[in-house]
Structures are given as structure tokens and as C-alpha cells.
Amino acid sequence: MAEILEFHIKGGDFNLAGKASSKIKKKLIQLGVETSTIKRIVVATYEAELNVVAHAREGKLTAIFEPDSIRIIIADSGPGIEDIDLAMEAGFSTATKKVREMGFGAGMGLPNIRKNTDELEIESKVGVGTRLEMIIYY
Amino acid sequence: MKVVELAEKFGLEIFSGNVGLQKEISGGYVSDLLSDVMGFALENQVWITLQTHQNVIAIASLKDLAAVIIVKGLQPDPETVKHSEEEGIPLLGTDMETFEIAGKIYKEFEI
Amino acid sequence: MKVSELIKLTEGRIAAGNPEEQINIERAFSSDLMSDVLTLDDHHIVLITGLANVQLIRTVEMADVPVVLLCRNKPATPEMVNLANEIGIVLVETHFSIFRASGVLYQNGLKPLY
Ligand SMILES: Nc1ncnc2c1ncn2[C@@H]1O[C@H](COP(=O)(O)OP(=O)(O)OP(=O)(O)O)[C@@H](O)[C@H]1O
Ligand SMILES: [Mg+2]
């Protein structure tokens, strides 16, 4: 049976952002996954977690540890993404001034996620929310 | 050193703002945070950043900076180019990363 | 370059971690943007930055960056220090600007990435 970890993510709370990714990192180290693979996984997860914190109201992160891979699902309720192709472009960001002053809002999160995942699916509905599902093979 | 000399010496691309190329540079400032530049950059410094949006020129103009260098081969937004023309603040570019271009330019202004 | 030499060159002081840490720093990266830091794929780096918040420490944890240089006298907050110690990151504070720190470290042999 695949092991599952679940986390709640609160929009706007940057102090807690990264908690889920940090726990997942520890788990992957325990499992003995290769360092470079762990890094790909946690970078993608952290960017997705940050996007919920920066752009949405709240979200849920589910990490499913399969024998040969990890599947991560991040679903949020929030404003949604109007144009996913545009959002995927490096440099595109709607981050607020406040968020930018904290070091976010380079518009590189989604491109980073794409680069680090083997499979990525994004669904979004404006005014409802966004759902990311990604798979990374060990 | 003048902006134009700096651009030549380090092979910087000149996107816009040619009117300001004869300005004398007093030193460099590195930041990707606009409030940081607002607070601490000094007149006639050249600002090295990864930011490409038009607020960059607004701040460069307010702080009387000599020029802006965009790193990592990023292209400035069209509005940023337009703004740089209007304000006469040269917008320059390099493929180098911040650390490398800052490292090289620093040598020119060392006291 | 060892942490102790980095401290000496930047007139810095240690805020978290051990100054005698025998990490061999080969390259440096200057940035204030988290997503930019998350693109790094080298493990012998010092990150030179003007940010000083907890998110910075989280980010370097994910990016596997072992040493961070906080510039322009931005003090590390107690939360930052605690988290850095917990994760095992060396934090150094300096009064140098990012420009000056980059210049001095570049001249003393640290390489850029790529
Ligand atoms: N979960 C989300 N809900 C709503 N909008 C989102 C979400 N994730 C991304 N977006 C939209 O897509 C844009 C691009 O996202 P991306 O992660 O690439 O950059 P960013 O978050 O703005 O900045 P960075 O990730 O570099 O700090 C965001 O600015 C936002 O408009
Ligand atoms: Mg993002």
C-alpha cells in the first residue's frame, strides 16, 4: 500500500509556507531516495505550496508515496487561473507588491514546477480554484 | 566611467534610453526588491537586477540612477523599454548572472 | 573557500551554524527572488542576498544551499536562526552591500554558476 501524507495550506500565511514540503523532504530522505530526485520533488512541491499561499484562499496537499514514484496533488479554493498557458510563461506574475517585497513574484514558480516534474496536470476554474497533480519518478 | 563605456567594456546590450549614455557612474547597486532600491540606492549608481517590469524605471528615475542592467539574458517588458526612453535612463542587458556582472563591475569602482 | 574565510573577507559575523564548518564553497549566487534560488543545482554555493525572512531559510532548505550571506546589516530574526540551526544552514551577516560582497568574493575566486 502506498503511504499518504496530507497537509492543509492556509492562503496568505507565508510563515507556514514550506512546512508541508519540509515534512515531505524528511520523509524522502528516510525512504532513501536519491538526493537530486528529492530536490526535484521538494522544489516543485514548495513552489506549488507557495502558489496557494500567495494566490489562493486555502488548499490541501496530498502526497502519495508509490514504490517507484511520488504523486502530489495540490487543490485550492481561490481565484483560479484565467489563462494557464500565460501563467506558465516565465516572468508572468500577478503577485501583489507586498508579496514581491518578500522575494516572491518572479513568475518562475510554474516554470520551475514544469522543469522538475515528470508529469504535470493543471486544472483551474476562475472564481473556484486550481488543482495541480504532479508525478516524479525516483 | 560613463554608462556607454561600461556597456562597451562588459559587452552589455543597450535596449533603450540612449539619451543617458553619457552619464557618469558613481558605483553599483544590486537588488531585486524595489523597496530596497528606493531606500538605499544612491544617485548615479548603476542598478543590477533580475526585475524586468516598468516600475524599475520609475524607481531608477526617482533615485536618479545612472542606468539599469537586467541580468540572465532576460528581456525587458515593452512598457519598461518605453518608460526608459521617456525618462532617458539607459536600460542595459547581459547574459551573465548578477554575481558575475556585479563581481566584474565592482572592480571598476573599488576605492 | 571556507566559511571562516568568507566571514573574514566580508567582515561578517556568524548568525547560525558553525564558523569552523568545513564546507568548501566554490560558487556564489546573488539574488533576492525565491524562485530564482530554487533553480539552482549546485551544492557548494553561498547565496548572497538582501532578504531576511523565514521564507528565505525555507527556500534554501529546499534548494540545498548550505551557506547564506545576509547583506547590508539585515539581522537574522530569532525564527530564522532557529530554523537555520534546525536544518543545518550556515547564516552569516555582513554590513557589505550585495554589490560589494559580490565584488569581493568574485575577486577572491568564487565562481558564478553555469
Ligand atoms: N494556485 C493558484 N491560484 C491562483 N492563481 C495562481 C495559482 N498559481 C499560480 N497562479 C497564477 O499564475 C501566475 C504565475 O505563477 P508562478 O508560480 O509562475 O509565479 P508567481 O507565483 O507569480 O511568482 P514566483 O513563483 O516566481 O514567486 C501567478 O502570478 C498567478 O497569477
Ligand atoms: Mg509561484
Side-chain angles (χ1 to χ4, degrees), chain B residues 27-33 36 40 48 50-51 72 97-107 109-110, chain C residues 28-33 36 48 51 72 74 98-100 102-107 110-114:
Chain B
Y29 199 82
V30 172
S31 183
D32 303 316
L33 304 174
D36 182 317
F40 301 97
I48 302 165
L50 192 65
Q51 297 282 5
K72 281 178 114 175
E97 299 211 72
T98 300
F99 175 72
E100 184 173 12
I101 188 69
K104 287 183 169 152
I105 293 179
Y106 178 77
K107 210 168 187 309
F109 297 98
E110 218 177 350
Chain C
F29 188 76
S30 308
S31 182
D32 296 327
L33 294 174
D36 193 27
I48 305 168
L51 267 185
R72 241 199 46 236
K74 290 214 179 136
I98 302 178
F99 182 64
R100 184 169 173 197
S102 302
V104 168
L105 294 176
Y106 184 79
Q107 276 179 33
L110 287 192
K111 299 265 172 293
L113 280 107
Y114 318 117

Side-chain angles (χ1 to χ4, degrees), chain A residues 32-48:
Chain A
V33 176
E34 203 196 320
T35 316
S36 60
T37 311
I38 294 183
K39 182 153 174 198
R40 285 205 296 136
I41 297 166
V42 298
V43 166
T45 310
Y46 182 52
E47 289 281 15

Side-chain angles (χ1 to χ4, degrees), chain C:
Chain C
M1 182 183 291
K2 297 280 181 274
V3 172
S4 53
E5 194 185 348
L6 176 94
I7 293 174
K8 210 170 107 208
L9 287 170
T10 59
E11 299 169 13
R13 59 195 174 270
I14 199 98
N18 178 1
E20 297 307 320
E21 183 80 67
Q22 292 306 305
I23 301 168
N24 191 25
I25 309 165
E26 289 166 5
R27 295 171 194 277
F29 188 76
S30 308
S31 182
D32 296 327
L33 294 174
M34 299 297 126
S35 286
D36 193 27
V37 175
L38 288 165
T39 60
L40 298 178
D41 48 16
D42 195 298
H43 302 296
H44 304 277
I45 305 176
V46 53
L47 170 67
I48 305 168
T49 187
L51 267 185
N53 57 29
V54 180
Q55 294 79 349
L56 169 75
I57 309 299
R58 275 287 177 224
T59 302
V60 300
E61 175 191 8
M62 304 308 160
D64 283 338
V65 172
V67 185
V68 178
L69 183 63
L70 304 172
C71 290
R72 241 199 46 236
N73 261 332
K74 290 214 179 136
T77 63
E79 289 106 304
M80 287 172 68
V81 171
N82 288 342
L83 193 57
N85 281 327
E86 185 192 316
I87 299 165
I89 293 164
V90 177
L91 275 186
V92 180
E93 297 168 343
T94 173
H95 65 94
F96 284 17
S97 67
I98 302 178
F99 182 64
R100 184 169 173 197
S102 302
V104 168
L105 294 176
Y106 184 79
Q107 276 179 33
N108 282 277
L110 287 192
K111 299 265 172 293
L113 280 107
Y114 318 117

Side-chain angles (χ1 to χ4, degrees), chain A residues 47 50-51 55 108-110, chain C residues 35:
Chain A
E47 289 281 15
L50 282 170
N51 276 354
H55 309 295
M108 286 161 67
L110 287 172
Chain C
S35 286

Side-chain angles (χ1 to χ4, degrees), chain A residues 47 51 55 76 80-81 87 92-94 104-111 130, chain C residues 35:
Chain A
E47 289 281 15
N51 276 354
H55 309 295
D76 68 55
I81 304 174
F92 177 83
S93 176
T94 59
F104 302 102
M108 286 161 67
L110 287 172
T130 303
Chain C
S35 286

